[in-house]
Amino acid sequence: MLLDEVVAWLACRPGGRYVDCTVGRGGHAERILEVIGPDGLLVGIDRDEDAIRAAGERLRRFGERVRLIGGNFSGLREHLGSVGLPAVDGILFDLGVSSPQLDSAERGFSFSQDGPLDMRMDRREPRTAADLVNGLPERELADLLYHYGEERFSRRIARAIVAARATAPLRTTFELVSVIRSAVPGAYRHGRLHCATRTFQALRIAINRELESLEGALRDAADLLAPGGRLCVIAFHSLEDRIAKQAIRAMAGGPEPRLRSLTKKPVTPSERECGENPRARSAKMRVAERLPARRAA
Ligand SMILES: C[S@@+](CC[C@H](N)C(=O)[O-])C[C@H]1O[C@@H](n2cnc3c(N)ncnc32)[C@H](O)[C@@H]1O
Protein backbone atom coordinates (compact mmCIF):
# COMPACT_ATOMS: atom_id res chain seq x y z
CA MET A 1 0.00 0.00 0.00
CA LEU A 2 1.26 3.50 -0.87
CA LEU A 3 4.42 1.83 -2.24
CA ASP A 4 5.52 4.63 -4.58
CA GLU A 5 4.50 7.26 -2.06
CA VAL A 6 6.60 5.64 0.71
CA VAL A 7 9.73 5.51 -1.45
CA ALA A 8 9.21 9.12 -2.55
CA TRP A 9 8.42 10.54 0.89
CA LEU A 10 11.19 8.62 2.61
CA ALA A 11 13.44 10.21 -0.06
CA CYS A 12 15.13 6.82 -0.50
CA ARG A 13 18.52 7.19 -2.13
CA PRO A 14 21.25 4.80 -3.25
CA GLY A 15 23.52 3.85 -0.37
CA GLY A 16 21.01 5.01 2.29
CA ARG A 17 20.12 3.19 5.52
CA TYR A 18 16.46 2.58 6.28
CA VAL A 19 14.32 0.85 8.88
CA ASP A 20 10.96 -0.77 8.23
CA CYS A 21 9.52 -1.17 11.73
CA THR A 22 6.60 -3.30 10.48
CA VAL A 23 8.17 -5.31 7.68
CA GLY A 24 5.27 -7.78 7.30
CA ARG A 25 5.75 -9.79 4.12
CA GLY A 26 8.33 -7.26 2.92
CA GLY A 27 6.38 -5.36 0.25
CA HIS A 28 7.66 -1.90 1.20
CA ALA A 29 11.06 -3.29 2.16
CA GLU A 30 11.51 -4.84 -1.28
CA ARG A 31 10.73 -1.58 -3.03
CA ILE A 32 13.08 0.35 -0.76
CA LEU A 33 15.88 -2.19 -1.30
CA GLU A 34 15.49 -1.87 -5.06
CA VAL A 35 16.00 1.89 -4.83
CA ILE A 36 18.88 1.97 -2.33
CA GLY A 37 21.01 -0.39 -4.42
CA PRO A 38 24.05 -2.47 -3.54
CA ASP A 39 25.45 -0.01 -0.99
CA GLY A 40 22.20 0.50 0.91
CA LEU A 41 21.01 -1.28 4.04
CA LEU A 42 17.51 -2.07 5.28
CA VAL A 43 16.59 -3.27 8.75
CA GLY A 44 13.17 -4.93 8.92
CA ILE A 45 11.40 -5.53 12.23
CA ASP A 46 8.20 -7.47 12.94
CA ARG A 47 6.79 -9.09 16.05
CA ASP A 48 5.13 -11.85 14.01
CA GLU A 49 7.44 -14.80 13.35
CA ASP A 50 5.44 -15.84 10.25
CA ALA A 51 5.98 -12.35 8.81
CA ILE A 52 9.74 -12.47 9.44
CA ARG A 53 9.90 -15.88 7.75
CA ALA A 54 7.92 -14.68 4.71
CA ALA A 55 9.97 -11.46 4.45
CA GLY A 56 13.17 -13.52 4.67
CA GLU A 57 12.11 -15.55 1.65
CA ARG A 58 10.96 -12.59 -0.37
CA LEU A 59 14.09 -10.53 0.34
CA ARG A 60 16.64 -13.34 0.11
CA ARG A 61 18.06 -12.01 -3.15
CA PHE A 62 19.27 -8.85 -1.37
CA GLY A 63 21.64 -10.90 0.80
CA GLU A 64 23.58 -8.91 3.41
CA ARG A 65 21.80 -5.68 2.50
CA VAL A 66 18.82 -6.71 4.61
CA ARG A 67 18.73 -7.52 8.31
CA LEU A 68 15.52 -8.93 9.74
CA ILE A 69 14.72 -8.77 13.43
CA GLY A 70 11.83 -10.57 15.15
CA GLY A 71 10.60 -8.28 17.91
CA ASN A 72 8.47 -5.34 18.92
CA PHE A 73 9.24 -1.90 17.53
CA SER A 74 9.03 -0.63 21.10
CA GLY A 75 12.64 -1.90 21.29
CA LEU A 76 13.71 0.08 18.20
CA ARG A 77 16.74 1.63 19.90
CA GLU A 78 18.05 -1.74 21.07
CA HIS A 79 17.28 -3.38 17.72
CA LEU A 80 19.33 -0.79 15.85
CA GLY A 81 22.08 -1.06 18.46
CA SER A 82 22.19 -4.82 17.86
CA VAL A 83 23.05 -4.25 14.18
CA GLY A 84 25.48 -1.42 14.96
CA LEU A 85 23.46 1.45 13.48
CA PRO A 86 23.50 4.64 15.58
CA ALA A 87 21.54 6.69 12.99
CA VAL A 88 19.56 6.05 9.82
CA ASP A 89 18.15 7.99 6.84
CA GLY A 90 14.54 6.91 7.06
CA ILE A 91 12.11 4.98 9.26
CA LEU A 92 8.75 3.54 8.20
CA PHE A 93 5.82 2.43 10.36
CA ASP A 94 3.02 0.73 8.39
CA LEU A 95 0.77 0.07 11.34
CA GLY A 96 -1.90 -2.44 12.19
CA VAL A 97 -2.67 -5.90 11.00
CA SER A 98 -1.35 -7.33 7.72
CA SER A 99 -3.35 -8.99 4.94
CA PRO A 100 -1.75 -12.41 5.61
CA GLN A 101 -2.72 -12.10 9.28
CA LEU A 102 -6.29 -11.14 8.33
CA ASP A 103 -6.58 -13.82 5.67
CA SER A 104 -5.43 -16.66 7.87
CA ALA A 105 -8.47 -18.07 9.70
CA GLU A 106 -6.36 -19.74 12.37
CA ARG A 107 -4.95 -16.37 13.54
CA GLY A 108 -8.44 -15.28 14.59
CA PHE A 109 -8.23 -11.65 13.33
CA SER A 110 -11.08 -11.89 10.87
CA PHE A 111 -14.80 -11.80 11.56
CA SER A 112 -15.49 -13.24 8.12
CA GLN A 113 -13.63 -16.51 8.70
CA ASP A 114 -14.20 -19.00 11.48
CA GLY A 115 -11.18 -19.59 13.67
CA PRO A 116 -10.00 -19.52 17.29
CA LEU A 117 -10.39 -16.21 19.12
CA ASP A 118 -6.66 -15.56 19.14
CA MET A 119 -5.61 -12.22 17.50
CA ARG A 120 -2.04 -12.25 18.83
CA MET A 121 0.50 -10.76 16.42
CA ASP A 122 3.26 -12.33 18.49
CA ARG A 123 2.17 -15.85 19.35
CA ARG A 124 4.72 -16.10 22.13
CA GLU A 125 2.53 -13.71 24.14
CA PRO A 126 0.44 -15.62 26.66
CA ARG A 127 -2.90 -13.78 26.42
CA THR A 128 -5.38 -14.32 23.57
CA ALA A 129 -8.58 -12.51 22.60
CA ALA A 130 -10.53 -15.43 24.12
CA ASP A 131 -8.93 -14.65 27.50
CA LEU A 132 -10.19 -11.05 27.30
CA VAL A 133 -13.65 -11.94 26.04
CA ASN A 134 -14.17 -14.63 28.67
CA GLY A 135 -12.34 -13.01 31.54
CA LEU A 136 -12.95 -9.25 31.67
CA PRO A 137 -15.71 -7.88 33.88
CA GLU A 138 -18.63 -6.48 31.87
CA ARG A 139 -17.82 -2.84 32.61
CA GLU A 140 -14.18 -3.19 31.54
CA LEU A 141 -15.17 -5.04 28.41
CA ALA A 142 -17.63 -2.29 27.48
CA ASP A 143 -15.02 0.43 28.10
CA LEU A 144 -12.49 -1.43 25.98
CA LEU A 145 -14.94 -1.72 23.05
CA TYR A 146 -15.80 1.94 23.39
CA HIS A 147 -12.26 3.31 23.64
CA TYR A 148 -10.42 1.04 21.20
CA GLY A 149 -13.27 0.33 18.80
CA GLU A 150 -15.24 3.59 19.11
CA GLU A 151 -18.17 1.14 19.24
CA ARG A 152 -21.37 2.96 20.11
CA PHE A 153 -23.15 -0.24 21.14
CA SER A 154 -20.32 -1.23 23.48
CA ARG A 155 -22.58 -1.67 26.53
CA ARG A 156 -25.09 -3.87 24.75
CA ILE A 157 -22.36 -5.99 23.20
CA ALA A 158 -20.51 -6.40 26.52
CA ARG A 159 -23.76 -7.39 28.23
CA ALA A 160 -24.51 -9.99 25.53
CA ILE A 161 -20.98 -11.43 25.76
CA VAL A 162 -21.24 -11.79 29.53
CA ALA A 163 -24.64 -13.50 29.19
CA ALA A 164 -23.36 -15.87 26.51
CA ARG A 165 -20.19 -16.85 28.36
CA ALA A 166 -22.20 -17.70 31.48
CA THR A 167 -23.40 -20.76 29.50
CA ALA A 168 -20.08 -21.63 27.85
CA PRO A 169 -16.89 -19.69 27.12
CA LEU A 170 -16.67 -18.11 23.66
CA ARG A 171 -13.94 -19.88 21.72
CA THR A 172 -14.29 -18.93 18.06
CA THR A 173 -14.60 -15.82 15.91
CA PHE A 174 -18.00 -16.93 14.58
CA GLU A 175 -19.35 -17.50 18.09
CA LEU A 176 -18.38 -13.93 18.95
CA VAL A 177 -19.86 -12.58 15.70
CA SER A 178 -23.14 -14.30 16.45
CA VAL A 179 -23.28 -12.76 19.95
CA ILE A 180 -22.56 -9.30 18.51
CA ARG A 181 -25.28 -9.78 15.89
CA SER A 182 -27.79 -10.71 18.55
CA ALA A 183 -26.91 -7.61 20.60
CA VAL A 184 -27.06 -4.74 18.09
CA PRO A 185 -30.07 -3.08 16.43
CA GLY A 186 -31.23 -4.38 13.02
CA ALA A 187 -30.08 -1.30 11.10
CA TYR A 188 -26.57 -1.68 12.50
CA ARG A 189 -26.60 -5.41 11.77
CA HIS A 190 -27.28 -4.73 8.11
CA GLY A 191 -25.25 -1.52 7.82
CA ARG A 192 -22.38 -0.76 5.42
CA LEU A 193 -19.79 -1.63 8.06
CA HIS A 194 -19.93 -5.22 9.32
CA CYS A 195 -21.37 -5.06 12.83
CA ALA A 196 -18.36 -6.94 14.28
CA THR A 197 -15.72 -4.60 12.77
CA ARG A 198 -15.34 -2.32 15.76
CA THR A 199 -15.41 -5.07 18.37
CA PHE A 200 -12.72 -7.01 16.52
CA GLN A 201 -10.61 -3.86 16.13
CA ALA A 202 -10.89 -3.11 19.83
CA LEU A 203 -9.94 -6.62 20.94
CA ARG A 204 -7.00 -6.69 18.53
CA ILE A 205 -5.67 -3.33 19.75
CA ALA A 206 -6.02 -4.41 23.36
CA ILE A 207 -4.50 -7.87 23.01
CA ASN A 208 -1.49 -6.52 21.10
CA ARG A 209 -1.23 -3.32 23.18
CA GLU A 210 -0.97 -1.53 19.85
CA LEU A 211 -1.32 2.02 21.06
CA GLU A 212 0.87 1.80 24.17
CA SER A 213 4.16 1.30 22.35
CA LEU A 214 3.51 3.65 19.43
CA GLU A 215 4.19 7.07 20.92
CA GLY A 216 7.45 5.98 22.57
CA ALA A 217 8.58 4.27 19.38
CA LEU A 218 7.92 7.42 17.35
CA ARG A 219 10.01 9.45 19.78
CA ASP A 220 12.85 6.93 19.59
CA ALA A 221 12.57 6.95 15.81
CA ALA A 222 12.99 10.73 15.72
CA ASP A 223 16.14 10.43 17.86
CA LEU A 224 17.58 7.74 15.60
CA LEU A 225 17.22 9.72 12.39
CA ALA A 226 20.24 11.49 10.95
CA PRO A 227 19.61 15.20 10.16
CA GLY A 228 17.40 15.37 7.07
CA GLY A 229 16.23 11.76 7.66
CA ARG A 230 12.54 11.04 7.20
CA LEU A 231 9.86 9.41 9.34
CA CYS A 232 6.77 7.96 7.58
CA VAL A 233 3.80 6.65 9.55
CA ILE A 234 0.86 4.90 7.86
CA ALA A 235 -2.20 4.50 10.09
CA PHE A 236 -5.45 2.67 9.41
CA HIS A 237 -7.71 4.02 12.11
CA SER A 238 -8.23 7.31 13.82
CA LEU A 239 -6.71 6.24 17.17
CA GLU A 240 -3.33 5.45 15.62
CA ASP A 241 -3.45 8.43 13.30
CA ARG A 242 -4.16 10.74 16.23
CA ILE A 243 -1.13 9.43 18.12
CA ALA A 244 1.09 9.90 15.04
CA LYS A 245 -0.24 13.39 14.41
CA GLN A 246 0.17 14.50 18.02
CA ALA A 247 3.63 12.96 18.42
CA ILE A 248 4.89 14.70 15.27
CA ARG A 249 3.30 17.96 16.32
CA ALA A 250 4.87 17.77 19.79
CA MET A 251 8.32 17.03 18.38
CA ALA A 252 7.99 19.80 15.79
CA GLY A 253 7.18 22.41 18.42
CA GLY A 254 8.71 23.85 21.58
CA PRO A 255 12.04 25.61 22.04
CA GLU A 256 14.07 22.72 20.62
CA PRO A 257 12.10 21.13 17.77
CA ARG A 258 13.50 17.83 16.55
CA LEU A 259 11.22 17.35 13.56
CA ARG A 260 9.60 19.35 10.78
CA SER A 261 6.24 18.06 9.66
CA LEU A 262 6.10 17.67 5.85
CA THR A 263 2.43 16.73 5.49
CA LYS A 264 -0.07 19.26 6.70
CA LYS A 265 -2.77 16.86 5.58
CA PRO A 266 -2.07 13.13 5.52
CA VAL A 267 -1.14 11.49 2.23
CA THR A 268 -3.82 9.01 1.09
CA PRO A 269 -3.77 6.26 -1.55
CA SER A 270 -4.85 7.10 -5.11
CA GLU A 271 -8.37 6.34 -6.34
CA ARG A 272 -6.85 3.54 -8.42
CA GLU A 273 -5.22 1.91 -5.40
CA CYS A 274 -8.44 2.22 -3.40
CA GLY A 275 -10.32 0.56 -6.28
CA GLU A 276 -7.86 -2.32 -6.33
CA ASN A 277 -7.64 -2.69 -2.57
CA PRO A 278 -10.61 -1.53 -0.47
CA ARG A 279 -8.47 -1.57 2.73
CA ALA A 280 -6.48 1.32 1.25
CA ARG A 281 -9.46 3.63 1.75
CA SER A 282 -8.67 4.06 5.44
CA ALA A 283 -4.89 4.52 5.09
CA LYS A 284 -3.34 7.85 6.06
CA MET A 285 0.35 8.60 5.91
CA ARG A 286 2.12 11.36 7.85
CA VAL A 287 5.70 12.36 7.18
CA ALA A 288 8.26 14.40 9.09
CA GLU A 289 11.92 15.29 8.63
CA ARG A 290 14.62 15.30 11.28
CA LEU A 291 16.07 18.75 11.96
CA PRO A 292 19.75 19.21 12.69
CA ALA A 293 20.52 19.59 16.41
CA ARG A 294 20.75 23.28 17.37
CA ARG A 295 24.26 24.41 18.19
CA ALA A 296 24.73 25.93 21.63
CA ALA A 297 25.13 29.72 21.35
C1 LIG B 1 0.23 -3.51 7.73
S1 LIG B 1 1.38 -4.77 8.09
C2 LIG B 1 2.84 -4.28 7.26
C3 LIG B 1 2.91 -4.71 5.83
C4 LIG B 1 4.25 -4.41 5.17
N1 LIG B 1 4.50 -2.99 5.12
C5 LIG B 1 4.35 -5.01 3.79
O1 LIG B 1 4.63 -4.29 2.83
O2 LIG B 1 4.18 -6.24 3.66
C6 LIG B 1 1.77 -4.45 9.76
C7 LIG B 1 2.79 -5.41 10.35
O3 LIG B 1 3.26 -4.79 11.55
C8 LIG B 1 3.47 -5.76 12.52
N2 LIG B 1 3.40 -5.05 13.81
C9 LIG B 1 2.34 -4.41 14.34
N3 LIG B 1 2.66 -3.85 15.52
C10 LIG B 1 3.98 -4.13 15.72
C11 LIG B 1 4.90 -3.82 16.77
N4 LIG B 1 4.52 -3.12 17.86
N5 LIG B 1 6.18 -4.24 16.65
C12 LIG B 1 6.56 -4.95 15.55
N6 LIG B 1 5.74 -5.29 14.55
C13 LIG B 1 4.46 -4.88 14.63
C14 LIG B 1 2.37 -6.78 12.30
O4 LIG B 1 2.75 -8.04 12.81
C15 LIG B 1 2.26 -6.76 10.77
O5 LIG B 1 3.03 -7.78 10.19
Side-chain angles (χ1 to χ4, degrees):
M1 203 164 302
L2 289 166
L3 277 184
D4 294 336
E5 291 85 346
V6 163
V7 169
W9 281 95
L10 273 180
C12 290
R13 58 169 177 80
R17 289 151 182 241
Y18 298 86
V19 186
D20 184 342
C21 289
T22 50
V23 73
R25 253 187 313 190
H28 289 103
E30 182 175 46
R31 189 64 74 89
I32 293 169
L33 280 155
E34 282 164 357
V35 175
I36 64 181
D39 298 325
L41 180 71
L42 178 121
V43 178
I45 302 169
D46 206 293
R47 74 210 288 203
D48 182 340
E49 285 175 350
D50 291 355
I52 289 291
R53 211 170 303 120
E57 276 168 33
R58 181 176 194 156
L59 306 175
R60 186 169 299 143
R61 69 188 158 103
F62 296 102
E64 288 295 294
R65 288 188 264 154
V66 50
R67 309 277 165 81
L68 295 175
I69 299 175
N72 197 305
F73 59 56
S74 59
L76 181 58
R77 218 178 262 282
E78 294 76 39
H79 295 320
L80 289 196
S82 75
V83 291
L85 276 182
V88 293
D89 301 303
I91 303 183
L92 169 67
F93 290 82
D94 177 18
L95 298 167
V97 71
S98 68
S99 306
Q101 286 167 340
L102 270 178
D103 295 343
S104 162
E106 104 227 13
R107 302 292 303 265
F109 285 104
S110 168
F111 48 76
S112 45
Q113 300 190 69
D114 200 12
L117 264 181
D118 189 326
M119 303 196 198
R120 287 169 301 168
M121 287 178 178
D122 179 347
R123 283 185 278 185
R124 292 166 302 185
E125 295 282 339
R127 216 172 46 145
T128 66
D131 294 329
L132 279 189
V133 164
N134 294 306
L136 278 187
E138 181 177 330
R139 178 79 188 267
E140 279 178 45
L141 195 51
D143 288 348
L144 185 152
L145 301 185
Y146 183 72
H147 292 301
Y148 290 159
E150 300 179 316
E151 171 56 75
R152 66 195 151 112
F153 298 112
S154 55
R155 305 230 164 272
R156 289 184 185 213
I157 295 172
R159 200 177 314 130
I161 288 174
V162 169
R165 76 189 191 196
T167 314
L170 298 173
R171 293 280 170 225
T172 68
T173 49
F174 276 9
E175 282 170 12
L176 178 58
V177 170
S178 123
V179 171
I180 297 167
R181 255 190 230 288
S182 71
V184 299
Y188 194 62
R189 206 158 41 230
H190 303 293
R192 202 173 54 85
L193 196 69
H194 190 291
C195 63
T197 307
R198 293 175 178 281
T199 298
F200 272 61
Q201 174 185 304
L203 291 170
R204 199 199 83 209
I205 290 177
I207 216 63
N208 294 294
R209 297 190 301 277
E210 288 179 38
L211 304 180
E212 279 94 325
S213 42
L214 183 56
E215 195 193 332
L218 293 176
R219 287 184 177 278
D220 285 347
D223 283 346
L224 292 161
L225 284 172
R230 300 265 179 102
L231 171 66
C232 286
V233 188
I234 305 175
F236 288 87
H237 55 74
S238 55
L239 300 169
E240 277 171 352
D241 183 54
R242 202 174 304 144
I243 293 175
K245 181 174 156 184
Q246 287 173 355
I248 290 175
R249 188 181 290 162
M251 290 187 278
E256 296 215 17
R258 282 188 287 164
L259 292 180
R260 178 167 72 97
S261 170
L262 300 182
T263 46
K264 211 166 185 190
K265 282 197 179 152
V267 177
T268 52
S270 63
E271 269 308 308
R272 211 188 83 209
E273 183 163 21
C274 294
E276 286 164 5
N277 176 2
R279 254 197 99 213
R281 290 206 181 277
S282 34
K284 286 184 179 169
M285 179 168 77
R286 298 188 184 268
V287 187
E289 187 175 78
R290 174 72 206 239
L291 295 169
R294 279 247 201 93
R295 279 215 215 104

